[in-house]
Amino acid sequence: MCGKRQVHVVLVGSSINERDQMLFISTDEGSSFQRQPISFTPETLVFHPKEEDKLLAYCKEGRLFASTDLGRKWTLLQERVTKDKVYWSVSGVDVDPDLVHMEMQDTSGGYLYVTCLIQNCSDKMVTAQFLGKIDHNSLLVQDDYIFVKVTTGNRTKHYVSYRRNEFVQMRFPKYSLPKDVQIVSTDENQVFLALQEWYQSDTYNLYQSDPQGVYYSIVLENVRSTKQPEENVLIDILEVRGIKGVFLANQKIDGKVTTLITYNKGRDWEPLAPPATDMNGKPISCKAPDCHLHLHLRWADNPYVSGTVHTKDSAPGLIMGAGNLGSKLVEYKEEMYITSDCGKTWRQVFEEEHHILYLDHGGVIVAIKDTSIPLKILKFSIDEGQTWTVHNFTSTSVFVDGLLSEPGDETLVMTSGSDLRAAKFDFWCIPHRDTSGEKCIMGQERSFRKRKDTAFCIKGKSYTSALTTKPCQCSEKDFNCDYGFERSNMEEKRCFADFWHDPDSPPEDCHLGQTYESSTGYRKVISNMCEGGLNKQQSAKQHSCPLLPPQGLQVGIKGQMLAVAPGDDITFIVHQEQGDTSSTKYQVDLGDGFRAIYQNLTVTDEPIQHRYENPGVYKVTVKAENMAGHDEATMYIQVTVPLQEVHLEVVPIAGRNHEINLTAVVLPTQANLTVFYWWIGDNLRPMLTLQNSLLTRFPETGEVSVTVQASNGRSMVQDTRTVRVYDNFQVIPLSFSTNLDQFNPNIPEWREDIGQVVTKILAKITGVPQESLVTVVKPGLPTTADLYVLPVDSKPAKRSMFVDKRIPAIVQAFNDNNVSFVVRGGLQVLVMLADPNAGYHGAAGGPGVWALAVIFLISIIATGSFILYKFKRKLPGSRNVYAQMHNEKEQEMTSPVNHSEDTQHIIQGEEFIDDDLDSQTLGNHSGVVLSINSRELHSYLTS
């Protein structure tokens, strides 16, 4: 980095053990380095443009550090900062040199444009400079301008701030509908940008702005673009350094790419004239208008190589580039051409691409072949490329990474592996002068000094090429089309108004009592210095500014924090897009009883500051009204404390397809307007509710993960639970002795602990495996619980009605008052059946099992009655009844017993089976035989 006094060099690397990061700092132009250990891994270093010891370091994880002593000590400024979206203050525009502009992510995940001082950049000290959130990776701070963009739905709006004034929406032609915008240049009080319109895919259109960067007019269509990795876009537009207003661009029409040049910042474009001869002096058959010179306009990633086109501020008019002759640009052709008169005439110098370095204000041109093989020669010219001298800079071929010149010296630096080699060239003699110049570029006739072709001397450090400047008289070429106008493709090339634009409409800043002129369709090219002559900008139509009604009224909070804490200081900002403001009254209602009336609110320097004391949702309303009309803007602000915790309450056991309740308990309990996101199973799309509960069903058995996220705009918390889903299980309601209620804090953790204690004691007393018992204590008072008795295994049960022996054992344990535990102070708590007279049976099933059992029993009774009626005379007194059925009756008989899926899975856990009911099925496709104990059948019938 070049400082005010000397060159400082800072390198980043690892120590020998590769665990500690090091900064290698040099204050003597790289002759020696000091090692400085650092506790982070910097990805990007940003040096202060004016103060040599100050620099910023960006880390991959989004942390931003600052140093004021060239990297010896570091301070963490901010976290969640966007990479490459950090900028130092701009001299002459920003007041404080220690100001830092940055794009950072807020707690809700959105992105903000903020500034802070490096001495204190905490969350409370950063200042949001744009009203609302901005698009990620959209902040750009460059010269007098700051750019951001905001996307809402499928529409993107671009905003600009000129010299740190209020942000204003950038005005492109109404139906351009930009897909992307790339800033090309911001010097000389004008924005030059490339805009990709809705119908373009691999091209952009070039636009120029007014001095404030607000209104844009098109200057060139269909400039070629190329997408790079990480969504970067390269646009074939290049500003020629050394002479202002000169640009090169590659235009792509119908797949054909041609190179154009402008000398008046886009007002007129023309192709590059082909040379008359080749590099050997032989005539060339390339003639305009069918053949021209075309150049590749590519930048180099390596800072020590020149790219395909090379220009320099200290060498005005000198351009070298790689390209080809023909009707279009050919990708694989990279012959080298040179011009010393800013593109008016060209000469071929090499047949292959070379890296170029200008020394001594272009007095020495160094060229080295662009190749991946080792080299040992370079070429240099001291007569602007007319002749070239070959020089062996090494006896052994080396790989050349690039070219570098020292400030004020003529040095060539190349590297091979870890070797660093340097060769110096000195050309000192008595300087000669020759004066030549190009007439009227950007309204000026400028004269430059050039060394004579026969003179071989160095120009020196103090040499200046410019001699004199003289303004030219203004002509039509010094005027471009105004906003809302386009240039006709007809021969006269006049500017005409677009169908959507009314040239007589007043400007947005037109106030009652003022006057304005209708646009003639022309405006003088920015930075054009012509005087007198033709004035196409002056209009004879004078209008009085009408009283316009307020339109586009907006109200927001500085920093766009729509959720704040009680007691936070809030700054409200009111913005009006159109209409008179000087005669407009603004009625402000902040929703908590505060009301006020303001005059000229949107342009005053006094913002509306307020503080809400109590949590709640407040409606903020601003009404703007004048004699011509009115407008209104509304916003809602949440005043709430940050969420601390959420606890998901759900029964751990659920029946398949049975409705269950999910409840989220949020702390603190007074949190308002919380949104709940419910994630169930593997579903990647959550359900959203404003209530803290949700009713749902689980269609499949097994374990299901349930997660709830609670968000109130300022914070987000979450909790996860697992629910086991079964086809069959038994639920036994429980109660506790009333002395437990005084120890019940009614919190989830306490309920879980009590449930685990009951389960453990019950398993120990009854011998029932603990994994098949789950006790869930319910919220609220009095304290109650549900005991879930789960299937022992997942195997299908026999196709009969069995009785689970675990149930009687569990019921007996409660009836005998054997289930109890001790709480604080030795107080014993007894666990009891909620309804001792409920008559719990031993069938292991879900809530619908008993209904299935009744249906099953009715089926048996009906079948038995039918069999007895049909065969009572043939088999009197027989112990067994045999029924042979026809095929058409088979389904009717077998369905309740054999083919009901619900019945097949009623009973599981064979070690708890009662064999009093002996039922078996023996059948084939021709019929069914039922064997039923007659005594039991008689008992069923009589009952």
Side-chain angles (χ1 to χ4, degrees), residues 378-397:
L378 59 83
K379 305 165 189 174
F380 65 89
S381 172
I382 57 174
D383 55 7
E384 296 182 339
Q386 299 280 358
T387 60
W388 294 86
T389 301
V390 177
H391 173 71
N392 285 290
F393 62 86
T394 177
S395 59
T396 305
S397 297

Side-chain angles (χ1 to χ4, degrees), residues 235-270:
I235 301 170
D236 282 19
I237 176 77
L238 181 108
E239 183 174 10
V240 176
R241 297 163 63 185
I243 300 181
K244 296 295 184 182
V246 182
F247 288 83
L248 290 165
N250 280 335
Q251 188 178 52
K252 183 176 182 180
I253 300 178
D254 297 329
K256 181 179 176 180
V257 179
T258 57
T259 301
L260 304 175
I261 190 170
T262 179
Y263 295 99
N264 50 13
K265 215 170 187 180
R267 164 60 174 81
D268 300 288
W269 296 84
E270 59 188 59

